[in-house]
Amino acid sequence: MEDNRIYLSLSQESGFEAEYIQNSLKTNWITSGGPNVNEFENVLQDYFDKKTYVTALNSGTSAIHLALIVLGVEEDDEVICQSLTFAASANPILYQKATPVFIDSEEETWNICPESLEIAIKDRIRKGKKPKAIIAVHLYGMPYKVNEIHAIADNYGIPIIEDSAEALGSKYKGEKCGSLGSIGILSFNGNKIITTSSGGALVSNYKEVKDKAIFYATHSKDKAIHYQHSKVGYNYRMSNICGGIGLGQMKILEENITSRRSNHFFYKDIFKEIKNAELFDNLNEDFFSNYWLNAILLETKEFREKLRVAFDNANIESRPLWKPMHLQPLFEKYPYYGNTVSEKLFEKGLCLPSGSNLSKKDKSRIKEVIINFFK
Ligand SMILES: *Cc1c(COP(=O)(O)O)cnc(C)c1O
């Protein structure tokens, strides 16, 4: 009999989700918003030890879109965005008919490069437009260089949208990712560290931002007895059923972080013996990654592809890194600042199975493929 497929990142039930869902059904809270959603927001607010206001939404993408709206991004504005990321970081810039300006990565955290960022800001200002926001991403759970990036943003007075979709549980200098930028966003999509099936959240230190986000997320209803609208609205609120799943999932967040991190140490142990592959690891103790996904760099693209096929033949999923946005047909006409760091990472990088529920047997199958491949 063939072995089950091992996937990159599967969700894991806590066992409490069903009860919350049942309860919504019984109490007829089968709604957009509701008590589970409020409670889920409270639990998340408690999780961030700083004073935060969390708005639960129907996806991380909606959260990024609302962050841009709340920050006043409009048609023809420019928004800076890390190039090496998932398309959902950048698509909302186009929803606003604004112009994305893409920035290369640095080699240490694979995230937005401080030097290229500053060059870009200076050049955009010289050309006549100061960027309205910067979208920086903690890719694969690895914090970006928060101190450097935020110092540059502060210096030019540009707000940061901290795309923490992959980084719930990560920390930079002991502070939780998601609560470090002007606005943070989280995702609870099925492949993330916790899931609500589909869902996301906007995190801010200001109640005013939360109030605005809820306003736009629930059709921008003005204060009136009838339905009155003076702004474009969206249907972005989290459903009460999803909020219930989120409450169940929060019970195992710490457990999931621990198992993802232990996956990382499993790979570290294997790759320390292997000369021609390098495991993506934290630069120093300031960077505490949840290791949402583990990735390695191979010597060439061909070598990477061979390993991917070897995994696939053993019924194990692995996948190249995100293809940088400035190389995507949709985005290639927009400005780009940097060199070829993200391009090279894309060519040589491979993501490895990193789910919270990888079993001992899964790990030994993965290890066998790696050991045989590099022998
Ligand atoms: C998953 C993800 C998103 C989008 O989240 P959804 O909840 O899927 O809309 C945004 N940015 C990054 C980096 C992601 O990985």
Side-chain angles (χ1 to χ4, degrees), residues 59-61 64 85-86 88-89 137 163 165-166 187-189 192 199 322:
S59 76
T61 311
I64 297 173
T85 185
F86 178 45
S89 303
V137 188
D163 183 340
E166 302 174 0
S187 167
F188 313 115
N189 189 44
K192 300 288 155 68
W322 303 119

Side-chain angles (χ1 to χ4, degrees), residues 57-64 82 84-90 92 95 135-140 163-167 185-192 196-201 292 322:
L57 299 165
N58 62 2
S59 76
T61 311
S62 311
I64 297 173
Q82 178 168 326
L84 186 68
T85 185
F86 178 45
S89 303
Y95 302 169
I135 302 174
V137 188
H138 305 298
L139 211 65
Y140 304 123
D163 183 340
S164 222
E166 302 174 0
I185 78 96
L186 305 172
S187 167
F188 313 115
N189 189 44
N191 61 345
K192 300 288 155 68
T196 59
S197 69
S198 173
W292 172 63
W322 303 119

Side-chain angles (χ1 to χ4, degrees), residues 43-256:
V43 172
L44 281 166
Q45 283 169 189
D46 288 345
Y47 170 77
F48 292 107
D49 16 50
K50 282 198 293 184
K51 198 166 186 253
T52 54
Y53 292 91
V54 173
T55 314
L57 299 165
N58 62 2
S59 76
T61 311
S62 311
I64 297 173
H65 189 197
L66 289 185
L68 294 173
I69 293 171
V70 167
L71 293 172
V73 172
E74 292 175 352
E75 186 162 359
D76 295 331
D77 283 338
E78 294 190 350
V79 175
I80 287 180
C81 184
Q82 178 168 326
S83 185
L84 186 68
T85 185
F86 178 45
S89 303
N91 276 329
I93 303 171
L94 298 188
Y95 302 169
Q96 286 307 94
K97 299 193 170 65
T99 303
V101 173
F102 292 109
I103 310 289
D104 202 2
S105 293
E106 35 79 10
E107 279 163 347
E108 289 169 324
T109 75
W110 297 5
N111 290 312
I112 189 165
C113 167
E115 282 85 43
S116 300
L117 173 65
E118 185 148 27
I119 290 168
I121 295 173
K122 281 187 178 154
D123 192 52
R124 299 325 290 174
I125 292 174
R126 197 173 55 78
K127 292 196 161 92
K129 270 183 197 166
K130 186 169 110 172
K132 272 282 184 77
I134 298 165
I135 302 174
V137 188
H138 305 298
L139 211 65
Y140 304 123
M142 184 64 72
Y144 58 81
K145 292 186 172 173
V146 174
N147 272 8
E148 282 101 317
I149 298 299
H150 288 203
I152 295 166
D154 289 347
N155 193 24
Y156 291 91
I158 305 173
I160 294 257
I161 298 172
E162 190 196 353
D163 183 340
S164 222
E166 302 174 0
L168 181 60
S170 299
K171 293 177 197 162
Y172 177 79
K173 292 194 171 168
E175 302 235 34
K176 287 174 177 149
C177 292
S179 66
L180 308 172
S182 311
I183 294 181
I185 78 96
L186 305 172
S187 167
F188 313 115
N189 189 44
N191 61 345
K192 300 288 155 68
I193 193 145
I194 61 162
T195 181
T196 59
S197 69
S198 173
L202 186 147
V203 184
S204 153
N205 292 321
Y206 301 98
K207 181 168 183 298
E208 198 192 332
V209 170
K210 175 167 177 168
D211 292 343
K212 271 193 189 166
I214 292 180
F215 171 78
Y216 287 109
T218 53
H219 303 285
S220 302
K221 293 188 205 96
D222 294 340
K223 281 207 171 69
I225 308 163
H226 55 275
Y227 282 121
Q228 172 84 15
H229 308 275
S230 44
K231 290 208 160 85
V232 179
Y234 302 87
N235 186 4
Y236 280 174
R237 196 73 165 125
M238 178 175 278
S239 87
N240 199 53
I241 302 277
C242 293
I245 301 175
L247 283 170
Q249 287 276 292
M250 279 305 279
K251 296 187 192 294
I252 50 164
L253 173 61
E254 289 304 329
E255 206 176 293
N256 285 359

